[in-house]
Amino acid sequence: MRSVFFAMITLAFSLPASAQDAPRLFPSRDVAVTYRVSGAGPMQEVTMAWAAAPRLMRVELPGMGYTIADFAGQKGFMVMQMPQPMVMDIPMAQAAGHVRALEAARFTRLGTDRVAGVACTNWRHEGPQGSGTGCFTDDGVLLRSQGAAQGMQGGLEALNVSYGAQDMARFQRPAGVPSMQMPGGILPGMPPVTKR
């Protein structure tokens, strides 16, 4: 799971870039994307769905459950299905630290490409916490990314892209399921965020 969380947070927990010389880093319309994720462990497939207007993201975690990130509300949670359903709150402040690092990165346009049959533009980003490349659609969907940060490497590539309205019920906290805080307040596989 370390590689899944690394790619998910470092490469996908992003906010819209305000500069003209950088890609849009959050989808502007509802979409679901299935990715092949690579990193420290074996390759896995992960599906991410975005509800664009409320700025919500759902990540299906193979064999574990799913994670919801609420960027507007600055909160998130993970629903684990085994051995019994449990909701674990996610420290969005840590994810926000990685978002700020990506927002501060310098982007360089590299040219156009196609991934999973969808057109995108390749960008290179370099920042204080790492560097890498990503291919983004004009409407902010990340289709391919490869990068390194904090001594770890990871990447993802879209296998299928499906635009369409998302069922908002899939982004809601499940009722009646016990909750717990994430031990130590650190996401699995994530280095601590340094304060400036």
Side-chain angles (χ1 to χ4, degrees), residues 21-123:
D21 58 345
R24 172 184 287 274
L25 300 176
F26 196 95
S28 61
R29 56 184 173 141
D30 289 8
V31 64
V33 183
T34 299
Y35 296 99
R36 179 185 299 115
V37 180
S38 61
M43 286 190 180
Q44 301 180 54
E45 288 187 11
V46 174
T47 298
M48 297 184 188
W50 287 266
R55 301 183 59 74
L56 298 170
M57 181 177 75
R58 176 179 169 127
V59 182
E60 303 292 336
L61 303 172
M64 288 185 65
Y66 61 92
T67 295
I68 301 295
D70 177 353
F71 292 99
Q74 286 297 294
K75 57 187 176 180
F77 60 88
M78 177 191 302
V79 179
M80 296 175 292
Q81 306 292 2
M82 298 176 62
Q84 61 185 16
M86 178 73 68
V87 176
M88 183 178 293
D89 291 309
I90 291 177
M92 289 293 285
Q94 186 174 8
H98 292 276
V99 169
R100 286 191 298 274
L102 189 57
E103 285 184 317
R106 181 170 53 89
F107 285 88
T108 304
R109 187 189 298 262
L110 300 178
T112 59
D113 204 347
R114 293 187 75 85
V115 178
V118 180
C120 58
T121 300
N122 283 308
W123 294 82

Side-chain angles (χ1 to χ4, degrees), residues 122-183:
N122 283 308
W123 294 82
R124 175 163 181 79
H125 62 87
E126 298 179 69
Q129 291 194 14
S131 62
T133 58
C135 203
F136 295 85
T137 65
D138 289 344
D139 56 6
V141 179
L142 175 63
L143 298 182
R144 182 175 55 222
S145 186
Q146 187 72 35
Q150 304 291 328
M152 296 187 295
Q153 293 187 347
L156 50 79
E157 181 169 349
L159 302 175
N160 182 63
V161 180
S162 179
Y163 287 99
Q166 297 296 309
D167 179 2
M168 293 307 300
R170 299 183 70 240
F171 296 86
Q172 302 304 311
R173 194 180 189 95
V177 177
S179 298
M180 64 180 290
Q181 294 293 320
M182 186 163 287

